[in-house]
Amino acid sequence: MASSDKTPTETETILMALDQISQTIDVMTSVVNRLRNYMAQQEAAAADQKKSLQAEMRGDRILH
């Protein structure tokens, strides 16, 4: 009987561990997606800044 009492406890422990792993993966996926979005926004902002600087430099030229 001791081994039959032990099996459900081990199964419960394994299921809880798997649930925690699943939750950890969900959180990590969310963090990666947020970082990916942040990097895309930073890249877009840098591209916009570069375009505006180029436009300003073109405006300063005097053609004769």
Side-chain angles (χ1 to χ4, degrees):
M1 279 185 101
S3 65
S4 64
D5 288 341
K6 189 175 181 183
T7 304
T9 305
E10 287 178 5
T11 303
E12 258 182 42
T13 302
I14 291 170
L15 289 174
M16 286 189 334
L18 289 172
D19 187 48
Q20 288 176 347
I21 291 169
S22 177
Q23 290 176 11
T24 301
I25 290 170
D26 289 343
V27 169
M28 292 175 71
T29 300
S30 174
V31 169
V32 168
N33 287 334
R34 289 172 67 187
L35 286 171
R36 197 176 275 142
N37 289 336
Y38 175 79
M39 293 303 295
Q41 289 174 352
Q42 293 299 312
E43 186 177 358
D48 288 345
Q49 185 179 14
K50 184 178 178 181
K51 285 179 185 177
S52 68
L53 286 174
Q54 288 174 343
E56 285 179 26
M57 288 195 297
R58 283 189 214 134
D60 292 339
R61 289 188 179 176
I62 299 173
L63 298 176
H64 294 281

